[in-house]
Amino acid sequence: MNIGEAAASGITVPALWIGRKRLSKDVKPIALSRGDELAAKIGDLTGRRNSLGYLAGCCHGDNRSDCPILDNLDRSSSILNTKRTT
């Protein structure tokens, strides 16, 4: 990974590159930690994609007023609003 790729992936350049005096033993844990953060985000996004795919599969996509996607969004909104007021 070059400096530009590191910056594009969200790894701050100063965190990885502080001159040639930076030891690889100092850089490796930073890179591994960032990799763990990215893996967690990927897991979260994958779960969201799977949920949307499931809900879309349950939706008739016709002129009916009932829709699992909207029902789920309505429940999620209610839960968030309840948490904010408590």
Side-chain angles (χ1 to χ4, degrees):
M1 175 184 306
N2 64 40
I3 292 174
E5 291 169 338
S9 70
I11 301 173
T12 59
V13 175
L16 293 178
W17 180 265
I18 301 177
R20 287 307 251 165
K21 294 182 181 181
R22 187 89 185 241
L23 301 175
S24 64
K25 71 176 185 171
D26 298 328
V27 174
K28 184 176 180 176
I30 296 168
L32 291 173
S33 175
R34 182 62 178 145
D36 291 343
E37 292 171 14
L38 291 172
K41 287 181 181 181
I42 290 168
D44 179 54
L45 291 173
T46 299
R48 291 179 188 201
R49 182 199 64 208
N50 292 344
S51 293
L52 283 172
Y54 173 79
L55 291 171
C58 294
C59 182
H60 296 286
D62 55 15
N63 291 329
R64 297 179 190 186
S65 61
D66 61 321
C67 174
I69 299 167
L70 295 175
D71 291 344
N72 186 274
L73 289 173
D74 188 44
R75 276 194 302 269
S76 296
S77 175
S78 296
I79 290 169
L80 289 176
N81 288 334
T82 302
K83 287 182 179 180
R84 287 185 188 140
T85 60
T86 58

Coordinates of all heavy atoms in Angstrom, one line a residue:
M1 N 0.9 -1.2 0.0 CA 0.0 0.0 0.0 C 0.9 1.2 0.0 O 1.8 1.3 0.8 CB -0.9 0.0 1.2 CG -1.8 1.2 1.4 SD -2.8 1.3 2.9 CE -3.7 -0.2 2.9
N2 N 0.6 2.1 -0.9 CA 1.4 3.4 -0.9 C 0.6 4.4 -0.1 O -0.5 4.2 0.4 CB 1.6 3.9 -2.3 CG 0.4 4.2 -3.1 OD1 -0.5 4.8 -2.5 ND2 0.3 3.9 -4.4
I3 N 1.2 5.6 0.1 CA 0.7 6.6 1.0 C -0.7 7.0 0.5 O -1.6 7.2 1.3 CB 1.6 7.8 1.1 CG1 2.9 7.4 1.9 CG2 1.0 9.0 1.8 CD1 4.0 8.4 2.0
G4 N -0.9 7.2 -0.8 CA -2.1 7.6 -1.4 C -3.2 6.5 -1.1 O -4.4 6.9 -0.8
E5 N -2.9 5.3 -1.3 CA -3.9 4.2 -1.0 C -4.2 4.2 0.5 O -5.4 4.0 0.9 CB -3.3 2.8 -1.4 CG -3.2 2.7 -2.9 CD -2.4 1.4 -3.3 OE1 -1.6 0.9 -2.4 OE2 -2.5 1.0 -4.4
A6 N -3.2 4.4 1.4 CA -3.5 4.4 2.8 C -4.5 5.6 3.1 O -5.4 5.4 3.9 CB -2.2 4.6 3.6
A7 N -4.3 6.7 2.6 CA -5.1 7.9 2.8 C -6.5 7.6 2.3 O -7.5 7.9 2.9 CB -4.6 9.1 2.2
A8 N -6.6 7.0 1.1 CA -7.9 6.7 0.5 C -8.7 5.7 1.3 O -9.9 5.7 1.3 CB -7.7 6.2 -0.9
S9 N -8.0 4.8 2.0 CA -8.7 3.7 2.7 C -9.0 4.2 4.1 O -9.6 3.5 4.9 CB -7.8 2.5 2.8 OG -6.7 2.7 3.6
G10 N -8.7 5.4 4.5 CA -9.1 5.9 5.8 C -8.0 5.8 6.8 O -8.1 6.3 7.9
I11 N -6.9 5.2 6.5 CA -5.7 5.2 7.4 C -5.0 6.5 7.3 O -4.5 6.9 6.2 CB -4.8 4.0 7.1 CG1 -5.5 2.7 7.1 CG2 -3.6 4.0 8.0 CD1 -4.7 1.5 6.7
T12 N -4.9 7.2 8.3 CA -4.3 8.5 8.2 C -2.8 8.4 8.0 O -2.1 7.5 8.6 CB -4.5 9.4 9.5 OG1 -4.0 8.7 10.6 CG2 -6.0 9.6 9.7
V13 N -2.3 9.2 7.1 CA -0.9 9.1 6.7 C 0.0 9.3 8.0 O 0.9 8.5 8.2 CB -0.5 10.0 5.6 CG1 0.9 10.1 5.3 CG2 -1.3 9.7 4.3
P14 N -0.2 10.3 8.8 CA 0.6 10.5 9.9 C 0.6 9.3 10.9 O 1.6 9.0 11.5 CB 0.1 11.7 10.6 CG -0.7 12.5 9.6 CD -1.2 11.4 8.7
A15 N -0.5 8.6 10.9 CA -0.6 7.4 11.8 C 0.4 6.3 11.3 O 0.9 5.5 12.2 CB -2.0 6.9 11.9
L16 N 0.6 6.2 10.1 CA 1.5 5.2 9.5 C 2.9 5.7 9.2 O 3.8 4.9 9.2 CB 0.9 4.5 8.3 CG -0.4 3.7 8.6 CD1 -0.9 3.1 7.3 CD2 -0.1 2.6 9.5
W17 N 3.0 6.9 8.8 CA 4.2 7.4 8.2 C 4.7 8.6 9.0 O 4.2 9.7 8.9 CB 4.0 7.8 6.8 CG 5.2 8.3 6.1 CD1 5.6 9.6 5.9 CD2 6.3 7.5 5.5 NE1 6.8 9.7 5.3 CE2 7.2 8.4 5.0 CE3 6.5 6.2 5.3 CZ2 8.4 8.0 4.3 CZ3 7.6 5.7 4.7 CH2 8.5 6.6 4.2
I18 N 5.8 8.4 9.8 CA 6.4 9.5 10.4 C 7.9 9.3 10.1 O 8.7 8.9 10.9 CB 6.2 9.5 11.9 CG1 4.7 9.6 12.2 CG2 6.9 10.7 12.6 CD1 4.3 9.5 13.7
G19 N 8.2 9.6 8.9 CA 9.6 9.5 8.4 C 10.1 8.1 8.4 O 9.4 7.1 8.7
R20 N 11.3 7.9 8.0 CA 11.9 6.5 7.9 C 12.3 6.0 9.2 O 12.8 4.9 9.3 CB 13.0 6.5 6.9 CG 12.6 6.6 5.4 CD 11.6 5.6 5.1 NE 12.2 4.6 4.2 CZ 11.6 3.5 3.9 NH1 10.4 3.2 4.5 NH2 12.1 2.6 3.1
K21 N 12.2 6.8 10.2 CA 12.6 6.3 11.6 C 11.5 5.5 12.2 O 11.8 4.9 13.3 CB 13.0 7.5 12.4 CG 14.3 8.2 11.9 CD 14.7 9.3 12.8 CE 15.9 10.0 12.2 NZ 16.4 11.1 13.0
R22 N 10.3 5.5 11.7 CA 9.2 4.7 12.2 C 9.5 3.2 12.1 O 9.9 2.7 11.0 CB 7.9 5.1 11.5 CG 6.7 4.5 12.1 CD 6.2 5.4 13.1 NE 5.0 4.9 13.8 CZ 3.9 5.4 13.8 NH1 3.6 6.5 13.2 NH2 2.9 5.0 14.6
L23 N 9.4 2.5 13.2 CA 9.7 1.1 13.1 C 8.4 0.3 12.7 O 7.3 0.6 13.0 CB 10.1 0.6 14.5 CG 11.3 1.3 15.1 CD1 11.6 0.8 16.5 CD2 12.6 1.0 14.2
S24 N 8.7 -0.8 11.9 CA 7.6 -1.6 11.4 C 6.8 -2.2 12.6 O 5.6 -2.4 12.5 CB 8.0 -2.7 10.5 OG 8.9 -3.6 11.2
K25 N 7.4 -2.5 13.7 CA 6.7 -3.0 14.9 C 5.7 -2.0 15.4 O 4.8 -2.4 16.1 CB 7.7 -3.4 16.0 CG 8.4 -2.3 16.7 CD 9.3 -2.8 17.8 CE 9.8 -1.6 18.6 NZ 10.5 -2.0 19.8
D26 N 5.9 -0.7 15.1 CA 5.0 0.3 15.6 C 3.8 0.5 14.6 O 2.7 0.8 15.0 CB 5.7 1.7 15.8 CG 6.7 1.6 16.8 OD1 6.5 0.9 17.8 OD2 7.7 2.3 16.7
V27 N 4.1 0.2 13.3 CA 3.1 0.4 12.2 C 2.2 -0.7 12.1 O 1.0 -0.6 11.9 CB 3.8 0.7 10.9 CG1 2.8 0.8 9.8 CG2 4.7 2.0 11.0
K28 N 2.7 -1.9 12.3 CA 1.9 -3.1 12.1 C 0.7 -3.2 13.0 O -0.5 -3.4 12.5 CB 2.7 -4.4 12.3 CG 2.0 -5.7 12.1 CD 2.8 -6.9 12.2 CE 2.0 -8.2 11.9 NZ 2.9 -9.4 11.9
P29 N 0.8 -2.9 14.3 CA -0.5 -2.9 15.1 C -1.5 -1.9 14.7 O -2.7 -2.1 14.8 CB 0.0 -2.6 16.5 CG 1.5 -2.8 16.5 CD 1.9 -2.6 15.1
I30 N -1.1 -0.7 14.2 CA -2.0 0.3 13.7 C -2.7 -0.3 12.5 O -4.0 -0.1 12.4 CB -1.3 1.6 13.4 CG1 -0.6 2.2 14.6 CG2 -2.2 2.6 12.7 CD1 0.4 3.3 14.3
A31 N -2.0 -0.9 11.6 CA -2.6 -1.4 10.4 C -3.6 -2.6 10.7 O -4.7 -2.6 10.2 CB -1.6 -1.9 9.4
L32 N -3.2 -3.4 11.7 CA -4.1 -4.5 12.0 C -5.3 -4.0 12.7 O -6.4 -4.6 12.5 CB -3.3 -5.5 13.0 CG -2.2 -6.3 12.3 CD1 -1.4 -7.1 13.3 CD2 -2.8 -7.2 11.2
S33 N -5.2 -3.0 13.6 CA -6.3 -2.5 14.2 C -7.3 -1.9 13.2 O -8.5 -2.0 13.3 CB -5.9 -1.4 15.2 OG -7.0 -0.7 15.8
R34 N -6.8 -1.1 12.3 CA -7.6 -0.5 11.2 C -8.3 -1.6 10.4 O -9.5 -1.5 10.1 CB -6.8 0.4 10.3 CG -7.6 1.1 9.3 CD -8.6 2.0 9.9 NE -9.3 2.7 8.8 CZ -10.6 3.0 8.8 NH1 -11.3 2.8 9.8 NH2 -11.1 3.6 7.7
G35 N -7.6 -2.7 10.2 CA -8.2 -3.9 9.5 C -9.3 -4.4 10.2 O -10.4 -4.8 9.7
D36 N -9.2 -4.5 11.6 CA -10.3 -5.0 12.4 C -11.5 -4.1 12.3 O -12.7 -4.6 12.3 CB -9.8 -5.2 13.8 CG -8.8 -6.3 14.0 OD1 -8.7 -7.2 13.1 OD2 -8.1 -6.3 15.1
E37 N -11.2 -2.8 12.4 CA -12.3 -1.8 12.3 C -13.1 -2.0 10.9 O -14.3 -1.9 10.9 CB -11.8 -0.4 12.4 CG -11.3 -0.1 13.8 CD -10.6 1.3 13.8 OE1 -10.7 2.1 12.8 OE2 -9.9 1.6 14.8
L38 N -12.3 -2.1 9.9 CA -12.9 -2.3 8.5 C -13.7 -3.6 8.5 O -14.8 -3.6 7.9 CB -11.9 -2.3 7.4 CG -11.2 -0.9 7.2 CD1 -10.0 -1.0 6.3 CD2 -12.2 0.1 6.7
A39 N -13.2 -4.7 9.1 CA -13.9 -6.0 9.1 C -15.3 -5.8 9.8 O -16.3 -6.4 9.4 CB -13.1 -7.0 9.7
A40 N -15.3 -5.1 10.9 CA -16.5 -4.9 11.7 C -17.5 -4.1 10.8 O -18.7 -4.4 10.8 CB -16.2 -4.1 13.0
K41 N -17.1 -3.1 10.1 CA -17.9 -2.3 9.3 C -18.5 -3.1 8.1 O -19.7 -3.0 7.8 CB -17.2 -1.1 8.7 CG -17.0 0.0 9.7 CD -16.3 1.2 9.1 CE -16.0 2.3 10.1 NZ -15.3 3.5 9.5
I42 N -17.6 -4.0 7.6 CA -18.1 -4.8 6.5 C -19.1 -5.8 7.0 O -20.2 -6.0 6.3 CB -16.9 -5.6 5.9 CG1 -16.0 -4.7 5.1 CG2 -17.3 -6.8 5.0 CD1 -14.6 -5.3 4.7
G43 N -18.9 -6.3 8.2 CA -19.9 -7.2 8.8 C -21.3 -6.5 9.0 O -22.3 -7.1 8.7
D44 N -21.2 -5.3 9.5 CA -22.4 -4.5 9.7 C -23.1 -4.3 8.4 O -24.4 -4.5 8.3 CB -22.1 -3.2 10.4 CG -23.3 -2.4 10.6 OD1 -24.3 -2.8 11.2 OD2 -23.3 -1.2 10.2
L45 N -22.4 -3.8 7.4 CA -23.0 -3.5 6.1 C -23.5 -4.8 5.4 O -24.6 -4.8 4.8 CB -22.0 -2.8 5.2 CG -21.6 -1.4 5.6 CD1 -20.5 -0.9 4.7 CD2 -22.8 -0.5 5.5
T46 N -22.9 -5.9 5.6 CA -23.3 -7.2 5.0 C -24.6 -7.6 5.6 O -25.6 -8.0 5.0 CB -22.3 -8.3 5.2 OG1 -21.1 -7.9 4.5 CG2 -22.7 -9.6 4.6
G47 N -24.7 -7.4 6.9 CA -26.0 -7.7 7.6 C -27.1 -6.8 7.2 O -28.3 -7.3 7.0
R48 N -26.8 -5.6 7.0 CA -27.9 -4.6 6.5 C -28.3 -5.0 5.1 O -29.5 -5.0 4.8 CB -27.4 -3.2 6.5 CG -27.2 -2.6 7.8 CD -26.6 -1.2 7.8 NE -26.3 -0.7 9.1 CZ -26.1 0.6 9.3 NH1 -26.4 1.5 8.4 NH2 -25.8 1.0 10.5
R49 N -27.4 -5.4 4.2 CA -27.7 -5.8 2.8 C -28.6 -7.0 2.9 O -29.5 -7.2 2.2 CB -26.4 -6.0 2.0 CG -26.7 -6.4 0.6 CD -25.6 -7.1 -0.1 NE -25.3 -8.4 0.6 CZ -24.1 -8.9 0.6 NH1 -23.1 -8.4 0.0 NH2 -23.9 -10.1 1.2
N50 N -28.2 -8.0 3.7 CA -29.0 -9.3 3.8 C -30.4 -9.0 4.3 O -31.3 -9.6 3.8 CB -28.2 -10.3 4.7 CG -26.9 -10.7 4.1 OD1 -26.7 -10.6 2.9 ND2 -26.1 -11.3 4.9
S51 N -30.5 -8.1 5.3 CA -31.8 -7.8 5.8 C -32.7 -7.1 4.7 O -33.9 -7.5 4.6 CB -31.7 -6.8 7.0 OG -31.1 -7.5 8.1
L52 N -32.1 -6.2 4.0 CA -32.9 -5.5 2.9 C -33.3 -6.6 1.8 O -34.4 -6.5 1.3 CB -32.1 -4.4 2.3 CG -32.0 -3.1 3.1 CD1 -31.0 -2.2 2.5 CD2 -33.4 -2.5 3.2
G53 N -32.4 -7.5 1.5 CA -32.7 -8.5 0.5 C -33.8 -9.4 1.0 O -34.7 -9.7 0.2
Y54 N -33.8 -9.8 2.3 CA -34.9 -10.6 2.8 C -36.2 -9.8 2.8 O -37.2 -10.4 2.3 CB -34.5 -11.0 4.3 CG -35.6 -11.7 4.9 CD1 -35.9 -13.0 4.7 CD2 -36.5 -11.0 5.8 CE1 -36.9 -13.7 5.3 CE2 -37.5 -11.7 6.4 CZ -37.8 -13.0 6.2 OH -38.8 -13.6 6.8
L55 N -36.2 -8.6 3.2 CA -37.4 -7.8 3.2 C -37.9 -7.6 1.8 O -39.2 -7.7 1.6 CB -37.2 -6.5 3.9 CG -36.9 -6.5 5.4 CD1 -36.5 -5.2 6.0 CD2 -38.2 -7.0 6.2
A56 N -37.0 -7.3 0.9 CA -37.5 -7.1 -0.5 C -38.1 -8.4 -1.1 O -39.1 -8.4 -1.8 CB -36.3 -6.7 -1.4
G57 N -37.5 -9.6 -0.6 CA -38.1 -10.8 -1.1 C -39.5 -11.1 -0.5 O -40.3 -11.8 -1.1
C58 N -39.8 -10.5 0.6 CA -41.1 -10.7 1.3 C -42.1 -9.7 0.7 O -43.3 -9.8 1.0 CB -41.0 -10.5 2.8 SG -40.0 -11.8 3.6
C59 N -41.6 -8.7 0.1 CA -42.5 -7.6 -0.4 C -43.1 -8.0 -1.8 O -42.4 -8.5 -2.7 CB -41.7 -6.3 -0.6 SG -42.7 -4.9 -1.2
H60 N -44.4 -7.8 -1.9 CA -45.1 -8.2 -3.1 C -44.8 -7.2 -4.3 O -44.9 -7.6 -5.5 CB -46.6 -8.3 -2.9 CG -47.0 -9.3 -1.9 ND1 -47.0 -10.7 -2.3 CD2 -47.4 -9.3 -0.6 CE1 -47.4 -11.4 -1.2 NE2 -47.6 -10.6 -0.2
G61 N -44.5 -6.0 -4.0 CA -44.2 -5.0 -5.0 C -45.3 -4.7 -5.9 O -45.2 -4.4 -7.1
D62 N -46.5 -4.7 -5.3 CA -47.7 -4.5 -6.1 C -48.5 -3.3 -5.5 O -47.9 -2.4 -4.8 CB -48.6 -5.7 -6.2 CG -49.0 -6.3 -4.8 OD1 -48.8 -5.5 -3.8 OD2 -49.5 -7.4 -4.8
N63 N -49.7 -3.2 -5.7 CA -50.5 -2.1 -5.2 C -51.1 -2.3 -3.8 O -51.9 -1.5 -3.3 CB -51.7 -1.8 -6.2 CG -51.2 -1.3 -7.5 OD1 -50.2 -0.6 -7.5 ND2 -51.9 -1.6 -8.6
R64 N -50.6 -3.3 -3.1 CA -51.1 -3.5 -1.7 C -50.5 -2.4 -0.8 O -49.4 -1.9 -1.1 CB -50.6 -4.9 -1.2 CG -51.2 -6.0 -2.0 CD -50.7 -7.3 -1.4 NE -51.0 -8.4 -2.3 CZ -50.8 -9.7 -2.0 NH1 -50.2 -10.0 -0.9 NH2 -51.2 -10.7 -2.8
S65 N -51.2 -2.2 0.3 CA -50.7 -1.2 1.2 C -49.8 -1.8 2.2 O -49.0 -1.0 2.8 CB -51.9 -0.5 1.9 OG -52.6 -1.4 2.7
D66 N -49.8 -3.1 2.4 CA -48.9 -3.7 3.3 C -47.6 -4.0 2.7 O -47.5 -4.4 1.5 CB -49.5 -5.0 3.9 CG -49.8 -6.0 2.9 OD1 -50.2 -5.7 1.8 OD2 -49.5 -7.2 3.2
C67 N -46.5 -3.6 3.3 CA -45.1 -3.8 2.8 C -44.2 -4.1 3.9 O -44.0 -3.3 4.8 CB -44.7 -2.5 2.1 SG -43.0 -2.6 1.5
P68 N -43.5 -5.2 3.9 CA -42.6 -5.6 4.9 C -41.4 -4.6 5.1 O -40.9 -4.4 6.2 CB -42.0 -7.0 4.5 CG -43.0 -7.5 3.5 CD -43.6 -6.3 2.9
I69 N -41.0 -4.0 4.0 CA -39.9 -3.0 4.1 C -40.4 -1.8 4.9 O -39.7 -1.4 5.8 CB -39.5 -2.6 2.6 CG1 -39.0 -3.8 1.9 CG2 -38.4 -1.5 2.7 CD1 -38.8 -3.6 0.4
L70 N -41.5 -1.3 4.5 CA -42.0 -0.1 5.2 C -42.4 -0.4 6.7 O -42.1 0.4 7.6 CB -43.3 0.5 4.5 CG -43.0 1.1 3.1 CD1 -44.3 1.5 2.5 CD2 -42.0 2.2 3.2
D71 N -42.9 -1.6 6.9 CA -43.3 -2.0 8.3 C -42.0 -2.1 9.1 O -42.0 -1.6 10.3 CB -43.9 -3.4 8.3 CG -45.3 -3.4 7.7 OD1 -45.9 -2.3 7.6 OD2 -45.8 -4.5 7.4
N72 N -40.9 -2.6 8.6 CA -39.6 -2.7 9.3 C -39.1 -1.3 9.6 O -38.6 -1.1 10.7 CB -38.6 -3.5 8.5 CG -37.4 -3.8 9.3 OD1 -36.5 -3.0 9.2 ND2 -37.3 -4.9 10.0
L73 N -39.1 -0.4 8.6 CA -38.7 0.9 8.8 C -39.5 1.6 9.9 O -38.9 2.4 10.7 CB -38.7 1.7 7.5 CG -37.7 1.3 6.4 CD1 -38.0 2.1 5.1 CD2 -36.3 1.6 6.9
D74 N -40.8 1.4 9.9 CA -41.7 2.0 10.9 C -41.3 1.5 12.3 O -41.2 2.3 13.2 CB -43.1 1.7 10.5 CG -44.1 2.5 11.4 OD1 -43.9 3.7 11.6 OD2 -45.1 1.9 11.9
R75 N -41.1 0.2 12.4 CA -40.7 -0.4 13.7 C -39.3 0.2 14.1 O -39.1 0.6 15.3 CB -40.6 -1.9 13.6 CG -41.9 -2.6 13.8 CD -41.7 -4.0 14.1 NE -41.0 -4.7 13.0 CZ -41.6 -5.3 11.9 NH1 -42.9 -5.2 11.8 NH2 -40.9 -5.9 11.0
S76 N -38.4 0.3 13.2 CA -37.1 0.8 13.5 C -37.1 2.3 14.0 O -36.5 2.7 14.9 CB -36.1 0.7 12.3 OG -35.9 -0.6 12.0
S77 N -38.0 3.0 13.3 CA -38.1 4.4 13.7 C -38.8 4.6 15.0 O -38.3 5.4 15.9 CB -39.0 5.1 12.6 OG -39.3 6.4 13.0
S78 N -39.7 3.7 15.4 CA -40.4 3.7 16.7 C -39.4 3.4 17.8 O -39.4 4.0 18.8 CB -41.6 2.8 16.7 OG -42.5 3.1 15.8
I79 N -38.6 2.4 17.5 CA -37.6 2.0 18.5 C -36.6 3.1 18.7 O -36.2 3.4 19.9 CB -36.8 0.7 18.0 CG1 -37.8 -0.5 18.1 CG2 -35.6 0.4 18.9 CD1 -37.3 -1.7 17.4
L80 N -36.1 3.7 17.7 CA -35.1 4.9 17.8 C -35.8 6.0 18.6 O -35.1 6.6 19.4 CB -34.7 5.3 16.4 CG -33.7 4.4 15.7 CD1 -33.4 4.9 14.3 CD2 -32.4 4.2 16.5
N81 N -37.0 6.4 18.3 CA -37.7 7.4 19.0 C -37.9 7.1 20.4 O -37.7 8.0 21.3 CB -39.0 7.8 18.3 CG -38.8 8.5 17.0 OD1 -37.8 9.1 16.7 ND2 -39.8 8.3 16.1
T82 N -38.2 5.9 20.8 CA -38.3 5.5 22.2 C -37.0 5.6 22.9 O -36.9 6.0 24.0 CB -38.8 4.0 22.2 OG1 -40.1 3.9 21.5 CG2 -39.0 3.6 23.7
K83 N -35.9 5.1 22.3 CA -34.6 5.2 22.9 C -34.2 6.6 23.1 O -33.5 6.9 24.1 CB -33.6 4.5 22.0 CG -33.7 3.0 22.1 CD -32.6 2.3 21.3 CE -32.7 0.8 21.3 NZ -31.7 0.2 20.5
R84 N -34.5 7.5 22.3 CA -34.1 8.9 22.4 C -34.8 9.6 23.5 O -34.3 10.5 24.2 CB -34.4 9.7 21.1 CG -33.4 9.4 20.0 CD -33.7 10.2 18.8 NE -32.9 9.8 17.7 CZ -33.3 9.7 16.4 NH1 -34.5 10.1 16.1 NH2 -32.5 9.3 15.5
T85 N -36.1 9.2 23.8 CA -36.8 9.9 24.9 C -36.6 9.3 26.3 O -37.0 9.8 27.3 CB -38.3 9.8 24.6 OG1 -38.7 8.4 24.5 CG2 -38.7 10.5 23.3
T86 N -35.9 8.1 26.3 CA -35.6 7.5 27.6 C -34.3 7.9 28.1 O -33.4 8.3 27.5 CB -35.7 6.0 27.6 OG1 -34.8 5.5 26.6 CG2 -37.2 5.6 27.3

